[in-house]
Amino acid sequence: MGKKRVMVPAQEVDLSIVKYEPEAIQAPHLTGFLFKFFVSIIEAPVIGSLLISYLKKKNKFIEMLRNTEIPEAPMFKPEFPPQEPEHGVVTLHEDGKPEDRVESALKCLPDYDLPGSWNGNQDPPFKYWKIRDYAYAYRSGLATPSIVAERIIPIIEDFSSKKPPQPLLISFDAEEVRKQAAASTKRFEEGKPLSILDGIFMAIKDDIDCLPHPSKSGSTWMHQVRSVKKDAVCVSRLRSCGVILLGKANMHEFGMGTTGNNPNFGTARNPHAPERYTGGSSSGPAAIVASGLSSAALGTDGGGSVRIPSSLCGVVGFKTTYGRTDMEGSLCDAGTVEIIGPIASTVEDVMLVYAAILGSSLANRNSLQPSAPCLPILSARDSLNALESLRIGKYTTWFNDVNSTDISDQCEDILGLLCKAHGCRMVEIVIPELQEMRNAHLVSIGSEMLCSVNPDCEDGKAARMTYDTRTSLALFRSFTASDYVAAQCLSFLHIHFRRRIMYHHMAIFKNVDVIVTPTTGMTAPVIPPSALQHGETDMQVTGDLMRFVIAANLLGLPAISVPVGFDKQGLPIGLQLIGRPWGEASLLRVASAIEELCVKSKKRPVSFYDVLKTN
């Protein structure tokens, strides 16, 4: 038994002596035959557990979790302290119709400017078509949902037929899409669109139920043990607004990876660099939005799975406060770190989709007592006043812990422009116990994932999983009950660690309004050709991609990734904003201001399809 490390109460931590320790993950990077051989070893009864124990010891898991004594009481689910109301916002009604909330969101946006590209005046800065552009085209007779559908369908089919396959969607029914598009076209012909989202094409991540498609969660067998009988709550809300649901988007199997690699169906490629990963696990949703084929998509985020691919693909990814959206109908509806969130090309489109899908489950409404959902009024003077008083928290040594200074420099430059343009103020902060938080999150999400698939593993399905999923499960199985309890001490959502880390963050939010970081510590990694057939394990890449995202999951905080430029290789860089509990409106306001500063830096992806207006 190692020597016990006794932690002082969180309120007694001396921040003046806290030193940032860069993450150093010690694990092999393996692909191909060596990877298969490694998995066979770690799954072996005796030698496997010894190898896992060795790796855990090398990475100080035992020392940090099992041999740490934490004074804080356990916290199983988020317990957010009361928050100050947000200013310059519109309050939305959770129990109202989704289409009414979308209409309220529409009124929060600045006046709509007719795109110059309709007149053949597309200026050099690249711009994605927004949801309001589609709505204008449909209402003006410049296009119909059916016309757009016929442009999208062959492109989607072509991605799946490539050698090797690169599917954006792994469940797709062209006739079902045509049927939805025809119904939407008819509504426009009759002058009765359901909302601004009517006729808007959206993809749904494969772990969220969407009739008539199966939910495979990126696997080859989940649909055989779990049938889909109705839409997930979030999907049902989109459907009531007239959204055309394209199908189930590709993902890392069971969400147990950060790259988006999927040997089962083929790996989606980054639209900015097809030889590189999209990021995961919501790989298909981010790629299909970045390629222009879908105005928005729904993903799930338990460890950055919406924000990571959004950052790597140059789009906007929004993680709400835990419990803000109803998780019923998703494969991760019983967890304590996961949410369903929108991915879109612009902040305003994220706002419109968020307005449609929000609404806590009755259980979470009773236990979490969420503040009323709000949206920022972006067209009002109040919004500018809110930005002038904005205090931005930045932990510089953490912020700069990136693979390339291109990332930190670009994020720093944009924050400088934000402060100069709107009078915001940067505040240096210190966040203690970051490594403890990372480990607590890993134990928490790993234990929850293992719990969800373990019955099927015991029925013999484990052999049908990908090798990287099996590697993750071998690690998760090594976590003992004491590891899990220790992790919860560090994490607010589970038991002890959560309460402690929550205390540190709530103390920070007394002095700042948002915390800023790069979204990821690296830009899109190259896909090793040897990883396409059997996958790969590269824990250093995982650590680099997850470095800044896990606080929002462990603590249930809202966060958003906004594209802010590119590195020297032309790969997208994302800036992350983390907010107070239930503070989605404030995050969206700041994200919109940042987006406005980055308009001229937009770049057309290598794989982009203009499905609204072909020139």
Side-chain angles (χ1 to χ4, degrees), residues 377-392:
I377 306 173
L378 298 179
S379 56
R381 177 66 193 173
D382 285 349
S383 190
L384 294 176
N385 291 338
L387 288 171
E388 288 174 0
S389 61
L390 185 74
R391 299 164 302 169
I392 302 171

Side-chain angles (χ1 to χ4, degrees), residues 39-51:
V39 173
S40 68
I41 292 176
I42 63 172
E43 289 182 337
V46 178
I47 192 171
S49 60
L50 292 174
L51 179 56

Side-chain angles (χ1 to χ4, degrees), residues 144-147 149 175-189 201 244:
T144 68
S146 290
I147 289 173
E175 292 309 311
E176 173 65 21
V177 172
R178 289 187 174 104
K179 179 181 175 182
Q180 294 178 73
S184 180
T185 297
K186 183 178 180 181
R187 290 193 292 270
F188 279 102
E189 289 172 349
F201 293 81
I244 298 172

Side-chain angles (χ1 to χ4, degrees), residues 73-115:
M75 183 188 285
F76 289 90
K77 275 200 169 187
E79 297 175 15
F80 301 121
Q83 300 296 307
E84 292 293 324
E86 298 174 280
H87 300 289
V89 300
V90 164
T91 301
L92 305 179
H93 300 289
E94 287 188 272
D95 295 323
K97 294 181 178 179
E99 51 268 44
D100 291 341
R101 292 197 298 269
V102 171
E103 183 64 26
S104 296
L106 188 61
K107 293 176 181 177
C108 292
L109 302 179
D111 292 339
Y112 175 66
D113 291 327
L114 186 65

Side-chain angles (χ1 to χ4, degrees), residues 262-337:
N262 189 319
N264 294 326
F265 300 99
T267 296
R269 307 304 182 94
N270 194 310
H272 287 272
E275 75 282 4
R276 293 177 180 268
Y277 282 121
T278 59
S281 63
S282 303
S283 53
I288 199 169
V289 170
S291 65
L293 293 170
S294 175
S295 295
L298 288 190
T300 55
D301 191 317
S305 289
V306 161
R307 290 159 289 152
I308 291 170
S310 295
S311 177
L312 268 53
C313 291
V315 292
V316 182
F318 188 35
K319 182 210 170 288
T320 64
T321 307
Y322 175 81
R324 179 64 89 188
T325 53
D326 195 324
M327 297 293 290
E328 182 183 348
S330 69
L331 273 74
C332 48
D333 60 358
T336 63
V337 295

Side-chain angles (χ1 to χ4, degrees), residues 31-81:
T31 64
F33 171 77
L34 285 177
F35 186 26
K36 293 173 65 177
F37 180 67
F38 175 77
V39 173
S40 68
I41 292 176
I42 63 172
E43 289 182 337
V46 178
I47 192 171
S49 60
L50 292 174
L51 179 56
I52 291 290
S53 295
Y54 171 77
L55 291 173
K56 287 170 67 177
K57 186 175 182 180
K58 289 286 287 184
N59 288 280
K60 299 183 178 180
F61 269 93
I62 305 299
E63 172 189 332
M64 195 166 291
L65 290 177
R66 202 177 303 172
N67 293 343
T68 296
E69 185 175 303
I70 304 157
E72 279 71 28
M75 183 188 285
F76 289 90
K77 275 200 169 187
E79 297 175 15
F80 301 121

Side-chain angles (χ1 to χ4, degrees), residues 115-170:
S117 48
W118 285 123
N119 305 315
N121 298 324
Q122 181 75 28
D123 294 326
F126 169 75
K127 294 181 181 179
Y128 282 99
W129 293 111
K130 298 186 293 187
I131 286 172
R132 287 197 286 178
D133 296 330
Y134 280 87
Y136 173 80
Y138 295 157
R139 285 163 172 76
S140 304
L142 296 169
T144 68
S146 290
I147 289 173
V148 175
E150 294 305 325
R151 293 171 179 167
I152 293 174
I153 289 169
I155 300 170
I156 294 292
E157 292 175 336
D158 182 59
F159 270 99
S160 295
S161 63
K162 290 180 182 293
K163 302 294 182 183
Q166 306 168 19
L168 299 175
L169 301 175
I170 56 179

Side-chain angles (χ1 to χ4, degrees), residues 434-500:
L434 284 171
Q435 188 57 51
E436 287 86 346
M437 181 170 64
R438 294 184 187 111
N439 289 347
H441 173 265
L442 177 60
V443 176
S444 301
I445 192 172
S447 300
E448 291 173 12
M449 285 181 167
L450 180 62
C451 183
S452 68
V453 301
N454 208 42
D456 300 307
C457 292
E458 292 175 353
D459 286 343
K461 300 294 193 303
R464 297 171 61 183
M465 295 179 178
T466 60
Y467 287 101
D468 58 339
T469 298
R470 289 161 64 178
T471 300
S472 297
L473 290 177
L475 172 62
F476 299 158
R477 286 193 186 96
S478 74
F479 295 148
T480 65
S482 58
D483 289 333
Y484 187 72
V485 171
Q488 303 330 311
C489 298
L490 282 168
S491 70
F492 103 104
L493 270 183
H494 280 328
I495 313 190
H496 297 284
F497 241 148
R498 257 184 190 146
R499 187 178 300 279
R500 182 180 182 88

